[in-house]
Amino acid sequence: MAIDYSGQPLLKVENLKQHFKVSNTYTVKAVEGVSFEIYPGETYGLVGESGSGKSTIGRSVIRLYDPTSGSITFDGTDITKKLTRADKKKLRTEMQMIFQDPMSSLNPRKKVEDIIGEGLDIHHTYENRAQRDRLIKDILAKVGLAPEHASRYPHQFSGGQRQRVGIARALIMNPKLIIADECISALDVSIQAQVVNLMKDIQQETGAAYLFIAHDLSMVKYISDRIGVLHLGHLLETGTTEEIFSNPIHPYTKSLLSAIPEPNPIVEKNRVAESYDYKTSGIDYNQGFNHHVGGSHYVKCTDQEFAKWA
Amino acid sequence: MADVILNVKNLDISFKTSAGMVHAIRGIDFDLERGETVAIVGESGSGKSVTMKAAMGILAKNAVVNSGTIDFTYKNQEGVYGSVNILDKDKKWLRNHINGKRISMVFQDPMTSLDPTMNIGKQLVEGMLLHTNMTKEEARAKAIRLLKEVGIEDAEKRMRQYPHQLSGGMRQRVVIAIALSCDPDLLICDEPTTALDVTIQAKIIELIKRVQKERGISVIYITHDLGVVAKVADYVNVMYAGKIVEKGLVDEVFYDPRHPYTWGLLSAMPDLDTDDDRLYTIPGSPPNLLQEVKGDAFAPRNQFALEIDDKEEPPMFQLTKNHFAATWLLDERAPKVEMPKELRERLDRMKREAEKYGN
């Protein structure tokens, strides 16, 4: 499906800051001035190591946290301020989340049909019991589970199947945006491929946009249209998948790309991964601002750095 | 120096569960030489961790060893090489002589394998005080040396800290330092980097490789990440449903895979040059080992399955000195089946890239 980049973005994050006050003297600046846009039907991949703030961004976007400053516009509505009842309803139905660990994100005491149907129950989106059952059966079929799975409990499923339940739960509200927070990291390689294929199929069918948060760059490359590279709360580099992978500018992006082990023994044993250490690199992220590389490719750095790297 | 340190022969293990006997390991053979790295690859539930737990003698209580031997060769107190069958010994003997001393293990999740109520220093010296005649001061000095060896700065300060005060990568370094504390002959790493980021993963793998080279120890790597295998291993065992289906030198298995399951595993991993619209997936799911498997366990998921696969289990066919695969496709009566075109192209691409390094 072609993505329309000329229209209104579905999600617009501008200069988002998310700080957590730990004590009177110490504040964790998890996200420092991040801006990006997601268009309808697009997949935006956020990558970075743990502690880079990628999950925090996901959680701020769905308003599990109150952003410190900046603005988040979802489908034309500003969702940074105090939410009205109507805004909340819109947000809780049209934006959904898939979590990392399918075992701990599914209530072990509920049947799959009740886990999936919980959103329907809360928002009263069905007329009678039969319709609810039909909706649940449809969604189960869509994610590749059988109708008889509805009356089972999460522990009766394998990891891949559980993640399918998590996806079904997100899909049942017909969301416009799905935030997938490391949703395949806990799965086996062959199962990862199945889940990623499923997510791609669903996107084709429903036109939902994804915010795909992960640290596995090879999968991110595979699923994303555009990528943002995050480190220590700063969005260092963003662009289409092609641009980032064929022409990485920032040394951190380069080190991230070179750290991926390839299934090629001779190459792997000879290759030395590029290392990057923020402390010794002499780069100060706070000094940087966005430089345009070409197309939709931007790098956050100072003028001198840009001249040196590009 | 080709002496075998670990020799697993015809290992067969079942687990007693309320639903019946689960036949988790169905006859495994492999050798490990001193200073060598062996990787065991497979999906979850293929039995790779169970095999290693058997080698450590830490199987769960409901495990039943049906047959097999695990011979471990080591230098005993008098400095003479001798070998023991680990399966013959009781847990207490193993705890005193083998576990943590001669074979040590690095587990997947460093948060759960460290004791949250004990400081790092105490956890490090614990094993040394138990297994060796070191005094407390000696053990402490060695612990600090180990922490420096695994790349932890201000080791003295870290000794007093607790696991929750360290980052994930640091914790895994501490776990490795603990594993090395009694100078083991064999280090078993059970998915040591799965819970970590790529950049940290690269550093931990470098660390394990360096330590192995410096100390000349053997390493068994359990993982499902083929990229990691390519980086570390000399020798690969591919496991499926409690059996080794293909084994060989890492170059043989990666550049010339013969078993359809290995084809599937290699295809399912996106490399950075893949442009296909869909990822290849192996259809279906692994068999339930509660039921006895008849014929080839992989046959129901194998698009190249032959009729005989449903009736009889394939033997190990030898391809080269080290390369074996258990699939009927290698039988001389079998029709000639080539690996999927996409994979062939990818392997060619890999080989071309490898040629740049002059091999």
Side-chain angles (χ1 to χ4, degrees):
Chain A
M1 202 173 67
I3 302 147
D4 180 16
Y5 285 110
S6 57
Q8 274 291 315
L10 177 67
L11 180 82
K12 192 169 182 180
V13 176
E14 273 174 302
N15 210 13
L16 176 71
K17 286 188 181 171
Q18 184 75 60
H19 296 176
F20 297 99
K21 201 170 170 186
V22 180
S23 70
N24 277 331
T25 51
Y26 186 55
T27 306
V28 175
K29 294 177 178 169
V31 179
E32 268 291 278
V34 166
S35 311
F36 63 93
E37 287 162 359
I38 301 178
Y39 290 85
E42 187 192 29
T43 304
Y44 189 81
L46 266 185
V47 288
E49 58 189 48
S50 42
S52 61
K54 52 193 195 303
S55 291
T56 309
I57 291 178
R59 286 163 168 260
S60 303
V61 165
I62 206 166
R63 279 299 301 276
L64 286 171
Y65 300 138
D66 291 325
T68 310
S69 74
S71 79
I72 304 169
T73 317
F74 175 63
D75 207 12
T77 327
D78 181 13
I79 53 168
T80 350
K81 58 183 196 306
K82 203 170 175 347
L83 298 169
T84 63
R85 210 187 161 81
D87 287 343
K88 232 180 199 161
K89 176 145 185 143
K90 183 179 162 69
L91 194 60
R92 296 285 174 261
T93 54
E94 293 184 356
M95 205 192 277
Q96 292 288 329
M97 197 149 176
I98 306 170
F99 294 92
Q100 172 170 10
D101 182 357
M103 195 65 235
S104 55
S105 62
L106 301 176
N107 187 340
R109 312 223 276 177
K110 271 188 171 172
K111 285 180 183 163
V112 161
E113 55 183 343
D114 296 321
I115 292 172
I116 296 175
E118 195 173 3
L120 297 176
D121 297 340
I122 291 168
H123 297 287
H124 310 291
T125 45
Y126 54 90
E127 276 153 21
N128 50 39
R129 193 84 201 163
Q131 196 193 354
R132 178 181 185 265
D133 287 347
R134 206 177 55 246
L135 284 168
I136 291 170
K137 297 264 149 74
D138 287 349
I139 219 85
L140 280 174
K142 202 182 261 179
V143 298
L145 293 171
E148 63 263 26
H149 286 135
S151 54
R152 294 197 191 160
Y153 290 93
H155 72 264
Q156 295 170 299
F157 291 92
S158 67
Q161 284 176 320
R162 270 182 223 141
Q163 201 54 290
R164 284 167 194 266
V165 174
I167 294 173
R169 169 172 66 181
L171 278 181
I172 199 153
M173 303 310 293
N174 284 321
K176 289 183 177 157
L177 177 67
I178 297 176
I179 299 170
D181 187 359
E182 302 262 13
C183 71
I184 52 166
S185 315
L187 306 173
D188 264 351
V189 200
S190 60
I191 312 290
Q192 278 187 359
Q194 286 177 13
V195 171
V196 165
N197 279 340
L198 172 69
M199 286 179 68
K200 277 197 139 181
D201 289 345
I202 285 167
Q203 187 167 48
Q204 290 280 334
E205 211 179 304
T206 63
Y210 290 127
L211 175 59
F212 192 83
I213 300 170
H215 65 252
D216 179 352
L217 272 161
S218 47
M219 275 297 171
V220 171
K221 176 183 184 216
Y222 186 71
I223 195 169
S224 306
D225 300 303
R226 289 189 303 134
I227 292 177
V229 179
L230 212 62
H231 190 218
L232 301 174
H234 294 266
L235 192 67
L236 297 180
E237 193 161 354
T238 181
T240 64
T241 311
E242 181 65 36
E243 287 163 346
I244 297 279
F245 276 82
S246 60
N247 182 24
I249 302 284
H250 203 283
Y252 179 70
T253 315
K254 285 184 182 163
S255 81
L256 211 53
L257 290 179
S258 79
I260 312 166
E262 281 179 59
N264 192 343
I266 293 174
V267 173
E268 267 315 312
K269 290 198 167 119
N270 286 293
R271 199 176 56 127
V272 183
E274 272 176 62
S275 69
Y276 173 76
D277 190 9
Y278 179 57
K279 276 186 216 133
T280 56
S281 67
I283 302 168
D284 183 0
Y285 293 157
N286 291 311
Q287 300 290 319
F289 50 92
N290 275 339
H291 283 75
H292 189 217
V293 182
S296 60
H297 192 173
Y298 289 89
V299 185
K300 186 172 184 175
C301 56
T302 60
D303 286 330
Q304 294 97 320
E305 283 162 1
F306 187 71
K308 200 166 93 193
W309 298 336
Chain B
M1 203 169 66
D3 49 342
V4 174
I5 168 163
L6 192 75
N7 178 323
V8 179
K9 248 193 244 132
N10 195 25
L11 184 68
D12 191 303
I13 297 171
S14 300
F15 285 94
K16 225 182 258 167
T17 67
S18 52
M21 294 293 270
V22 176
H23 203 172
I25 305 290
R26 305 182 299 129
I28 282 188
D29 302 270
F30 75 89
D31 288 337
L32 176 64
E33 282 169 17
R34 196 169 299 276
E36 192 184 51
T37 307
V38 164
I40 301 184
V41 208
E43 287 172 88
S44 15
S46 60
K48 46 194 199 310
S49 292
V50 174
T51 312
M52 284 310 108
K53 282 186 174 159
M56 281 279 271
I58 49 170
L59 282 170
K61 278 210 180 84
N62 61 344
V64 182
V65 178
N66 302 320
S67 71
T69 56
I70 300 177
D71 287 319
F72 177 59
T73 310
Y74 67 97
K75 217 186 217 170
N76 60 12
Q77 268 99 344
E78 290 88 49
V80 191
Y81 280 98
S83 68
V84 285
N85 179 5
I86 286 177
L87 296 173
D88 282 346
K89 299 289 182 181
D90 57 40
K91 278 197 174 164
K92 198 173 167 202
W93 188 90
L94 287 170
R95 287 218 128 196
N96 286 330
H97 293 87
I98 304 290
N99 295 4
K101 189 176 181 185
R102 293 185 172 110
I103 306 181
S104 47
M105 202 154 174
V106 175
F107 293 93
Q108 176 171 4
D109 184 356
M111 196 65 231
T112 45
S113 53
L114 290 172
D115 186 337
T117 66
M118 237 195 219
N119 66 35
I120 302 297
K122 217 168 171 188
Q123 302 194 42
L124 264 161
V125 299
E126 200 185 14
M128 290 187 262
L129 294 180
L130 189 74
H131 289 302
T132 63
N133 298 324
M134 270 186 218
T135 62
K136 261 188 178 162
E137 286 70 39
E138 282 168 355
R140 219 186 107 79
K142 187 168 181 193
I144 292 172
R145 216 166 52 236
L146 281 165
L147 283 181
K148 285 183 183 149
E149 188 182 338
V150 297
I152 291 180
E153 288 157 35
D154 5 292
E156 278 93 2
K157 193 181 123 207
R158 297 290 180 200
M159 292 279 283
R160 288 190 300 274
Q161 289 189 323
Y162 288 86
H164 74 265
Q165 292 170 296
L166 307 179
S167 67
M170 283 266 234
R171 274 183 222 138
Q172 200 61 300
R173 282 172 200 264
V174 170
V175 173
I176 293 170
I178 293 174
L180 293 174
S181 63
C182 295
D183 303 311
D185 299 318
L186 170 60
L187 185 66
I188 300 176
C189 302
D190 189 353
E191 310 242 7
T193 55
T194 316
L196 306 172
D197 286 335
V198 268
T199 43
I200 311 206
Q201 166 174 300
K203 285 181 192 150
I204 296 286
I205 290 172
E206 285 300 326
L207 169 67
I208 295 176
K209 275 175 84 173
R210 198 190 77 217
V211 165
Q212 177 184 21
K213 216 169 165 189
E214 283 168 9
R215 294 168 172 249
I217 55 178
S218 314
V219 177
I220 298 180
Y221 233 96
I222 304 175
T223 181
H224 63 245
D225 188 336
L226 293 169
V228 173
V229 176
K231 206 171 173 75
V232 298
D234 302 314
Y235 204 76
V236 188
N237 292 298
V238 181
M239 275 190 83
Y240 183 76
K243 272 197 126 105
I244 292 175
V245 292
E246 181 158 6
K247 58 180 175 183
L249 295 174
V250 67
D251 293 0
E252 292 170 336
V253 174
F254 276 75
Y255 297 125
D256 186 23
R258 294 302 182 91
H259 198 282
Y261 181 62
T262 318
W263 295 348
L265 277 184
L266 282 169
S267 310
M269 197 183 163
D271 65 348
L272 295 173
D273 306 309
T274 319
D275 287 323
D276 328 335
D277 225 16
R278 289 182 68 79
L279 280 176
Y280 175 80
T281 60
I282 305 169
S285 51
N288 184 350
L289 295 171
L290 259 175
Q291 281 105 35
E292 237 2 90
V293 181
K294 196 164 179 272
D296 183 1
F298 186 58
R301 302 174 73 187
N302 183 1
Q303 53 170 321
F304 308 108
L306 307 171
E307 237 171 76
I308 189 166
D309 277 322
D310 295 331
K311 296 182 190 111
E312 210 174 319
E313 199 150 29
M316 271 283 182
F317 289 94
Q318 184 163 16
L319 296 154
T320 64
K321 183 170 161 275
N322 294 306
H323 193 182
F324 296 83
T327 167
W328 282 118
L329 293 178
L330 294 172
D331 193 277
E332 53 194 11
R333 288 159 291 176
K336 192 129 182 66
V337 174
E338 284 292 319
M339 67 177 78
K341 199 173 107 255
E342 295 80 15
L343 183 61
R344 165 61 57 205
E345 283 165 5
R346 186 155 151 190
L347 292 180
D348 287 342
R349 204 159 58 221
M350 272 164 54
K351 278 183 206 154
R352 273 200 301 280
E353 228 173 289
E355 273 163 18
K356 286 183 205 153
Y357 290 93
N359 280 315

